Amino acid sequence: MIAVGLIFVLLILYLLKIDFIKRCMRFRKIIDFSYKLPGPPLAELAKKAHKEKVLPWLMECRQKYGERFVIWFGKDLVFFLTQPEDIKVVLSSQEVISKSGNYRVIKPWLGEGLLTSTGAKWQKNRKLLTPAFHFNILKQFQVVMEDCSDILVRKFSEVANVKSVDIYPFITLYALDVICETAMGIKKNAQENSESEYVRAVKKICEITHRRSFSMVLRIPFFFNLSSYRQVQDDTLKILHNETRRVIQLRRKALENLDINTTEILNEASSMLGMKKRLAFLDMLLIAQREGKDLSDEHIREEVDTFMFEGHDTTSSAIAFTIYLLSHHPMEQQLAYEEAKDYEGRELETMKYLEAVIKESLRIYPSVPFYSRMVEQETNVGDLVVPPGVTLSVQSYILHHDPKIFPQPNSFKPDRFIDTENMHPYAYVPFSAGPRNCIGQKFAMLEMKKTLAKLLRNFEFLPADEYKPILLAELILKSDNGVQVRIKKRS
């Protein structure tokens, strides 16, 4: 028995040795690859990688080192991609679909939902969830957006005609109201009760997630678990997850006697069977589960929480920055206002100018300033062979500010997007592109159009004195000093 035990121990040590050698060889290839591209030294990273300095510094790196450069973040090598052809290789790939380690910080909240999953699980999730964003589903959400925007108009009216106001908190609560009702089918009344337990929990988990994403220390699980943030996160997640699970049970019970299937919903057969109540994304998942799809309650919880995260933070950023830009461009605001008047109640139709305004805003201030993929097998990017273990970072912010693609890149010119026939398909990627593009981009565009049109019909936006946003390149692009404008009621 001793001899057998000794052999077993030796075998384990041998296998560990082989694994260690393999890891060393893999890391050696990453090091060799890093010598092929320029990039800043570690001292420059330590000096510049502060939250409000990251975007200007990365723009400097682009100027200094060219369209391709690498940066070592600890033991992780990140290859920065800033031109359309390289980005096309990554985003159009069916193999390079795994998200990088950066997304680990949101897994405690979102689990293995569509945003964070990969491989076969992601492909199954994507196929399963695509019908939930069908045009006939989106149409019914207009009523939710209309009702919630009525409250937003009232809130803006209360602070109109003052010197200046930070509009971001108002818009965030509005977007949270919309996504709660469309994703879960429940009213949270965040705009009226911003201090409710659930609303505070959403704000808190977003704060922790953004803080972790930016901290070189807190991103490491060992140090995060030792920090006070871990307990706060655990307490916050308990509130969020328990609420989502509670709503799942409530919605399942409400659907028990409802004889409807996904095909009927997508075909809009019999006008949603004459129902006055609207179906939420959650209802679509529960009906699919009832029809035998491979969906556990926990999987449904992960997808609903993913909708909650992606459906309110990104949209809030886009709406706020669009209003800020319009406040500084009265002529463009007037054209958008006139179109909003003409298309009142018809925002599902193509609103050529307002859509161009939104697209130009997302070019200047992309809600997701960069996103990353992990290379899991050797991948060709142009003339380079990228080894496994390298992170590929698509720099949408830098790409959107390339003067060779967008002349006068810092100028707000919506006309750029009136005719995009000659634009490279990967020169503008605010919703990503390819197989992992944003599944909810039509929902987001509809919400932005309806919200901005409603606000423009009620208010004129003017610039705040001596204000300029301080951009924070977190998971979502935000402003460290809010988004300040002056609001004037229209007569």
Side-chain angles (χ1 to χ4, degrees):
M1 285 295 292
I2 295 175
V4 172
L6 183 60
I7 292 171
F8 181 74
V9 170
L10 291 172
L11 177 62
I12 294 295
L13 291 173
Y14 176 69
L15 292 174
L16 287 173
K17 179 181 177 182
I18 291 175
D19 182 65
F20 177 73
I21 293 171
K22 284 182 178 179
R23 287 174 179 270
C24 288
M25 291 174 64
R26 173 172 161 157
F27 194 60
R28 179 72 252 178
K29 288 182 180 179
I30 295 173
I31 293 173
D32 291 342
F33 175 76
S34 72
Y35 293 141
K36 296 179 182 179
L37 292 166
L42 182 61
E44 188 175 337
L45 170 67
K47 183 179 179 181
K48 298 283 190 175
H50 299 286
K51 59 182 183 178
E52 73 280 0
K53 296 180 180 178
V54 166
L55 283 178
W57 176 55
L58 289 176
M59 295 288 280
E60 287 174 18
C61 288
R62 171 68 162 74
Q63 291 286 330
K64 187 175 181 180
Y65 301 110
E67 294 176 340
R68 296 168 167 175
F69 57 93
V70 294
I71 300 177
W72 281 99
F73 288 88
K75 63 178 180 58
D76 299 322
L77 182 69
V78 181
F79 178 10
F80 288 80
L81 309 174
T82 67
Q83 57 96 10
E85 279 302 314
D86 284 350
I87 289 171
K88 176 183 177 181
V89 170
V90 177
L91 297 186
S92 65
S93 173
Q94 294 286 348
E95 286 75 42
V96 188
I97 60 171
S98 294
K99 294 297 181 76
S100 72
N102 293 343
Y103 293 82
R104 284 195 299 264
V105 298
I106 53 177
K107 277 196 172 186
W109 183 15
L110 309 185
E112 291 287 334
L114 191 63
L115 179 64
T116 53
S117 59
T118 190
K121 182 168 185 177
W122 169 79
Q123 291 171 340
K124 184 188 78 171
N125 290 354
R126 180 79 184 207
K127 184 177 180 180
L128 183 68
L129 292 168
T130 296
F133 292 89
H134 190 278
F135 181 75
N136 286 336
I137 301 296
L138 296 183
K139 280 198 301 185
Q140 62 170 321
F141 294 149
Q142 289 188 98
V143 179
V144 175
M145 296 170 187
E146 191 71 29
D147 292 344
C148 293
S149 63
D150 284 341
I151 300 173
L152 181 60
V153 167
R154 177 159 51 82
K155 294 293 182 180
F156 271 20
S157 296
E158 292 170 1
V159 294
N161 303 320
V162 298
K163 191 172 182 181
S164 67
V165 62
D166 179 6
I167 60 173
Y168 194 83
F170 295 95
I171 293 170
T172 300
L173 293 173
Y174 157 74
L176 187 56
D177 270 345
V178 171
I179 200 63
C180 279
E181 196 164 350
T182 55
M184 294 197 290
I186 57 170
K187 290 182 180 288
K188 281 297 180 184
N189 298 314
Q191 295 180 90
E192 303 286 15
N193 186 14
S194 61
E195 292 305 310
S196 75
E197 184 180 55
Y198 184 81
V199 173
R200 283 190 285 110
V202 171
K203 286 195 277 189
K204 179 57 67 176
I205 197 64
C206 287
E207 289 170 8
I208 294 172
T209 299
H210 292 317
R211 186 177 290 274
R212 280 199 75 188
S213 71
F214 213 89
S215 170
M216 298 293 285
V217 174
L218 294 177
R219 283 171 62 172
I220 300 170
F222 176 79
F223 292 111
F224 177 73
N225 291 337
L226 291 176
S227 74
S228 60
Y229 291 108
R230 175 57 194 266
Q231 186 60 53
V232 175
Q233 176 180 276
D234 288 348
D235 294 341
T236 304
L237 289 177
K238 185 177 179 181
I239 294 169
L240 294 171
H241 290 167
N242 284 347
E243 176 63 4
T244 306
R245 293 183 185 115
R246 183 186 73 85
V247 174
I248 287 172
Q249 297 307 318
L250 286 174
R251 298 300 289 187
R252 176 181 285 117
K253 190 170 183 180
L255 290 168
E256 278 179 1
N257 300 318
L258 187 63
D259 184 20
I260 188 171
N261 59 48
T262 50
T263 302
E264 288 174 318
I265 296 168
L266 299 183
N267 292 335
E268 205 178 17
S270 66
S271 298
M272 308 295 287
L273 303 184
M275 290 187 301
K276 291 184 178 180
K277 62 183 290 185
R278 293 176 292 273
L279 292 177
F281 291 129
L282 169 57
D283 298 326
M284 289 288 293
L285 296 177
L286 289 171
I287 292 169
Q289 183 190 55
R290 188 172 65 189
E291 293 172 353
K293 297 292 192 299
D294 183 18
L295 271 171
S296 67
D297 278 9
E298 193 60 15
H299 182 186
I300 292 174
R301 196 274 305 160
E302 291 172 343
E303 297 301 354
V304 171
D305 284 345
T306 297
F307 292 156
M308 292 299 301
F309 169 70
E310 290 201 275
H312 94 278
D313 234 5
T314 53
T315 310
S316 300
S317 173
I319 293 172
F321 280 125
T322 301
I323 292 173
Y324 165 73
L325 287 166
L326 288 173
S327 75
H328 284 262
H329 296 86
M331 186 176 73
E332 287 79 1
Q333 183 175 173
Q334 180 64 24
L335 290 172
Y337 162 64
E338 290 171 2
E339 187 182 60
K341 284 198 305 179
D342 292 341
Y343 279 79
E344 184 169 3
R346 298 188 291 126
E347 291 86 0
L348 265 177
E349 299 177 26
T350 299
M351 298 177 67
K352 200 169 184 179
Y353 194 75
L354 184 57
E355 288 172 18
V357 164
I358 294 169
K359 289 174 182 176
E360 176 69 345
S361 176
L362 287 171
R363 181 192 68 79
I364 296 174
Y365 299 115
S367 296
V368 183
F370 36 71
Y371 32 92
S372 307
R373 304 280 176 84
M374 175 61 70
V375 177
E376 295 187 327
Q377 58 188 33
E378 277 193 354
T379 299
N380 292 318
V381 177
D383 56 337
L384 293 171
V385 179
V386 185
V390 172
T391 296
L392 300 174
S393 181
V394 174
Q395 294 290 302
S396 56
Y397 183 87
I398 295 177
L399 174 71
H400 292 177
H401 288 79
D402 187 338
K404 290 186 294 184
I405 303 171
F406 300 104
Q408 297 179 276
N410 295 320
S411 297
F412 180 65
K413 296 184 174 183
D415 286 347
R416 301 180 204 267
F417 290 95
I418 298 297
D419 180 11
T420 58
E421 188 176 333
N422 297 320
M423 186 183 295
H424 192 292
Y426 288 84
Y428 177 73
V429 289
F431 295 104
S432 187
R436 284 208 81 146
N437 69 342
C438 174
I439 195 172
Q441 60 183 288
K442 290 182 180 178
F443 174 87
M445 280 299 293
L446 175 60
E447 183 178 353
M448 287 186 281
K449 281 168 60 181
K450 284 198 71 70
T451 308
L452 289 164
K454 183 72 165 282
L455 293 174
L456 285 168
R457 288 192 292 266
N458 284 275
F459 305 104
E460 180 183 357
F461 297 102
L462 305 169
D465 297 335
E466 299 180 2
Y467 165 80
K468 187 175 181 181
I470 300 171
L471 299 183
L472 299 182
E474 300 175 335
L475 287 174
I476 307 298
L477 186 67
K478 295 189 176 182
S479 171
D480 197 33
N481 56 341
V483 181
Q484 298 275 343
V485 299
R486 287 184 292 135
I487 302 173
K488 179 181 177 183
K489 288 185 182 180
R490 293 190 187 273
S491 57

